Amino acid sequence: MDSLTLTFTALSDPTRRAIINQLKQGPSSVNDLVKPFSVSQQAISKHLAFLEKAKLIKKRKDGRQNICELNAKPLEDINLWVNQYQIFWEGALDRLDGMLNDFKKQKRNLSKVKLKNQNTRGR
C-alpha cells in the first residue's frame, strides 16, 4: 500500500483522528492518550500501532512509559496532493460565477423587454 493510501486509511477512523488531534498539542504518553476514550488501552494501542505504521506518529520509551509524538510529514503530503486540485476547483468556481453573471444579465434584459412591452401597450 502506498504511503498516501496508508495515511488516508489511518485518518478514516474517528478515534485515530482524535488521537492525532491530541498529539498536535505535543508529545503524550500512551496512558494520557487513553484517558479521553471509553475504550481499553489495548484498543488505543492498536490504533497507535496503525498510526505508527502510517508514519503519522513516532513512539519512544521514556523510562517505563511509551511517549507518542505527531509526525506531520504524511499530513503535508496529503495537503500537497489535495492542493493539486485547487486549480480545478478555482476554475470550476470561476466558470460558475461567469454563468451566474450571464444569467443575471439575461434576467435584467428580459425585465427591460417586458417593461418596454408594457409601456408600448399602454399607449
Side-chain angles (χ1 to χ4, degrees):
M1 188 179 307
D2 67 279
S3 63
L4 200 58
T5 302
L6 192 58
T7 303
F8 275 119
T9 303
L11 295 174
S12 69
D13 183 88
T15 301
R16 291 193 288 262
R17 288 193 307 271
I19 291 169
I20 293 292
N21 199 42
Q22 278 183 261
L23 290 174
K24 75 179 181 184
Q25 307 302 320
S28 185
S29 70
V30 171
N31 290 334
D32 288 339
L33 289 172
V34 170
K35 289 178 185 175
F37 300 100
S38 58
V39 295
S40 68
Q41 182 170 345
Q42 182 181 9
I44 295 298
S45 291
K46 287 181 180 181
H47 285 296
L48 292 172
F50 198 96
L51 290 169
E52 190 174 23
K53 180 180 175 186
K55 298 182 180 161
L56 283 162
I57 66 168
K58 297 175 186 174
K59 284 170 84 175
R60 63 180 164 80
K61 281 276 200 189
D62 186 11
R64 291 176 23 173
Q65 289 190 332
N66 284 312
I67 305 297
C68 298
E69 186 175 355
L70 178 64
N71 176 27
K73 175 69 173 101
L75 298 173
E76 291 171 20
D77 294 342
I78 285 178
N79 189 44
L80 289 171
W81 184 81
V82 169
N83 282 335
Q84 294 178 72
Y85 298 94
Q86 182 176 356
I87 294 169
F88 167 77
W89 287 111
E90 286 175 353
L93 291 173
D94 288 344
R95 287 189 301 278
L96 178 60
D97 190 44
M99 290 171 59
L100 289 173
N101 286 333
D102 290 347
F103 178 73
K104 288 177 186 176
K105 286 177 190 175
Q106 288 174 359
K107 190 175 178 182
R108 279 193 301 265
N109 290 340
L110 185 59
S111 294
K112 287 178 186 177
V113 168
K114 283 182 180 180
L115 184 61
K116 186 177 179 181
N117 287 341
Q118 287 174 352
N119 288 340
T120 58
R121 285 186 201 149
R123 292 185 196 173

